[in-house]
């Protein structure tokens, strides 16, 4: 693969992450359409908050432009592993005092500076046991893995404490495509997919006028200890009225998780089948869904017949990321 092709592919993956619903607003002030990112924290930022992040120094926040700067594969992987603004904020704002008001898009620079320094430099809103307390020298601008982003993946899976939810792992869900989706406008629809697990909701981009959309978008969800089936819904985006439902389905994630946990570290095994979610009259599967170890990762392909709608199928690829991984 040529250098140009690799660079283009990396940019596409970065754009896909930016298009996730939680990444379409600034992680710190909620301003729409952020064009900057903190690579070692793993969040997307607006121009105003970006300026404050730069003032913190690269040992705390290394800022890059999504469109203008060159990104290394390591930097892009770091952003994808964190999963975006929601995952990062679930750590950096988990102990934010009740009633504490974050800055908004129109807040003053002083308000932004106070909040951003408290959030990242002082780590005032992070669970105390997770704070990095060894001072600025504990950060390294030369290595993304030694920065805060590496710690986020560990702490997303932290134990329940003072009302915090205990997470046992992550689901990386690739929404591949939809076929034969229902018409909700005059002749077509503008579909997007919504995934819900526990209190978390993530969504794909909207595909305009497309009944057979191809997304190939990866969405990340944390899996709580008392997990239930993941809910999938497809909607037609409407500008001037409420979005119309285009079908739904439930995804039983237990076969994937129990199979993965029974085998432990998947990198110790070659490619093999380790489990199966069986098609039945009680679920939306179009065919049996096989759980495999592929290239050291636990993955499952899922094809769903949308329910409570006249037509439509959705195809997913689901990957389990355990606490050890």
């Amino acid at each position: 693969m040529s250098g140009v092709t690799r660079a283009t592919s990396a940019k596409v993956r970065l754009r896909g992450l930016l298009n996730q619903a939680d990444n379409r607003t600034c992680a710190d002030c909620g301003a729409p359409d952020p064009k900057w990112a903190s690579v070692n924290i793993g969040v997307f930022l607006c121009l105003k908050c970006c300026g404050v992040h730069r003032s913190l120094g690269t040992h705390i926040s290394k800022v890059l432009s999504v469109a203008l700067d060159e990104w290394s594969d390591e930097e892009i992987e770091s952003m994808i592993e964190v999963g975006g603004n929601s995952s990062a904020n679930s750590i950096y704002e988990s102990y934010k005092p009740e009633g504490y008001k974050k800055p908004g898009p129109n807040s003053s620079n002083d308000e932004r500076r106070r909040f951003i320094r408290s959030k990242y430099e002082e780590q005032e809103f992070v669970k105390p046991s997770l704070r990095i307390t060894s001072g600025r020298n504990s950060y390294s601008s030369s290595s993304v893995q030694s920065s805060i982003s590496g710690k986020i993946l560990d702490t997303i899976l932290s134990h329940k404490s003072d009302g915090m939810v205990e997470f046992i792992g992550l689901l990386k869900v690739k929404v591949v495509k939809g076929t034969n989706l229902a018409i909700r406008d005059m002749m077509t629809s503008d579909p997007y997919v919504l995934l819900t697990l526990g209190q978390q909701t993530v969504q794909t981009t909207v595909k305009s006028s497309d009944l057979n959309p191809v997304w190939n978008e990866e969405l990340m969800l944390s899996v709580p200890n008392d997990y239930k089936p993941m809910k999938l819904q497809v909607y037609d985006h409407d500008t001037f009225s409420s979005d119309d439902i285009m079908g739904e389905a439930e995804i039983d994630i237990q076969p994937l998780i129990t199979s993965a946990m029974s085998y432990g570290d998947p990198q110790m095994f070659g490619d093999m089948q380790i489990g199966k979610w069986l098609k039945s009259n009680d679920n939306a599967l179009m065919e049996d869904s096989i759980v495999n170890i592929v290239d050291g990762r636990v993955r499952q392909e899922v094809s769903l017949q949308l329910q409570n709608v006249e037509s439509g199928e959705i195809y997913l690829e689901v990957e389990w990321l355990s606490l050890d991984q």
Side-chain angles (χ1 to χ4, degrees):
M1 184 184 292
S2 70
V4 172
T5 302
R6 284 195 300 270
T8 301
S9 175
K11 283 288 187 182
V12 168
R13 296 176 68 203
L14 185 63
R15 285 286 182 182
L17 182 64
L18 181 59
N19 284 333
Q20 286 185 196
D22 60 318
N23 297 330
R24 295 176 195 167
T25 57
C26 175
D28 294 334
C29 77
D33 199 24
K35 298 297 186 186
W36 300 82
S38 173
V39 176
N40 47 347
I41 294 175
V43 293
F44 291 97
L45 306 164
C46 69
L47 180 61
K48 293 178 180 179
C49 290
C50 157
V52 180
H53 274 254
R54 287 189 186 278
S55 72
L56 301 179
T58 56
H59 57 285
I60 293 179
S61 184
K62 181 181 178 182
V63 177
L64 293 177
S65 166
V66 174
L68 302 178
D69 288 322
E70 290 297 322
W71 289 60
S72 69
D73 289 343
E74 184 184 28
E75 288 165 342
I76 291 174
E77 286 297 330
S78 177
M79 291 290 295
I80 291 173
E81 284 180 347
V82 171
N85 292 352
S86 290
S87 294
N89 281 345
S90 72
I91 301 302
Y92 285 102
E93 298 181 10
S94 61
Y95 271 57
K96 185 159 57 66
E98 185 176 351
Y100 186 100
K101 189 176 180 181
K102 290 177 60 172
N106 298 318
S107 294
S108 68
N109 198 51
D110 285 342
E111 288 178 282
R112 292 175 199 274
R113 184 181 297 109
R114 285 195 298 269
F115 174 73
I116 290 170
R117 286 190 177 277
S118 296
K119 180 177 176 179
Y120 301 110
E121 187 174 40
E122 305 300 331
Q123 300 170 44
E124 289 183 11
F125 313 132
V126 175
K127 182 180 177 182
S129 63
L130 303 177
R131 292 172 186 162
I132 301 173
T133 57
S134 55
R136 292 193 174 196
N137 291 335
S138 65
Y139 298 97
S140 168
S141 59
S142 64
S143 172
V144 172
Q145 292 305 316
S146 66
S147 65
I148 295 177
S149 65
K151 197 161 189 178
I152 285 183
L153 272 184
D154 297 333
T155 56
I156 281 175
L157 314 175
S158 60
H159 294 287
K160 186 181 298 181
S161 175
D162 297 332
M164 290 183 69
V165 176
E166 178 184 355
F167 294 111
I168 60 172
L170 293 170
L171 285 183
K172 182 189 293 185
V173 183
K174 184 176 183 179
V175 182
V176 180
K177 65 178 181 178
T179 58
N180 195 31
L181 299 184
I183 296 174
R184 287 294 179 266
D185 296 328
M186 188 69 69
M187 297 290 291
T188 185
S189 296
D190 305 317
Y192 64 90
V193 175
L194 208 66
L195 296 175
T196 302
L197 182 62
Q199 300 301 311
Q200 308 158 86
T201 298
V202 293
Q203 74 172 67
T204 66
T205 56
V206 175
K207 294 295 185 180
S208 298
S209 303
D210 196 344
L211 298 179
N212 296 283
V214 176
W215 281 284
N216 283 324
E217 294 181 22
E218 290 184 346
L219 306 175
M220 295 285 283
L221 291 159
S222 302
V223 181
N225 187 49
D226 57 344
Y227 64 86
K228 293 179 173 60
M230 178 168 59
K231 187 174 183 179
L232 179 147
Q233 296 170 297
V234 182
Y235 282 92
D236 168 50
H237 175 71
D238 288 319
T239 304
F240 301 109
S241 61
S242 299
D243 293 352
D244 300 315
I245 188 74
M246 297 174 62
E248 58 190 351
E250 281 196 346
I251 302 161
D252 185 1
I253 59 176
Q254 184 174 3
L256 172 69
I257 296 173
T258 54
S259 298
M261 287 184 167
S262 66
Y263 275 80
D265 184 0
Q267 296 184 356
M268 297 179 62
F269 300 91
D271 292 359
M272 59 188 295
Q273 177 181 330
I274 61 172
K276 183 185 294 187
W277 178 25
L278 295 174
K279 178 183 183 301
S280 74
N281 293 330
D282 297 324
N283 60 45
L285 283 177
M286 296 168 59
E287 60 185 9
D288 291 349
S289 179
I290 309 301
V291 181
N292 292 310
I293 294 177
V294 181
D295 297 329
R297 297 175 181 272
V298 179
R299 293 175 173 170
Q300 180 180 16
E301 293 186 358
V302 181
S303 54
L304 299 166
Q305 180 72 52
L306 292 173
Q307 307 293 293
N308 305 316
V309 68
E310 55 269 30
S311 65
E313 302 85 38
I314 293 289
Y315 297 84
L316 309 173
E317 295 174 5
V318 186
E319 181 177 340
W320 167 252
L321 301 173
S322 70
L323 180 116
D324 293 337
Q325 289 175 275

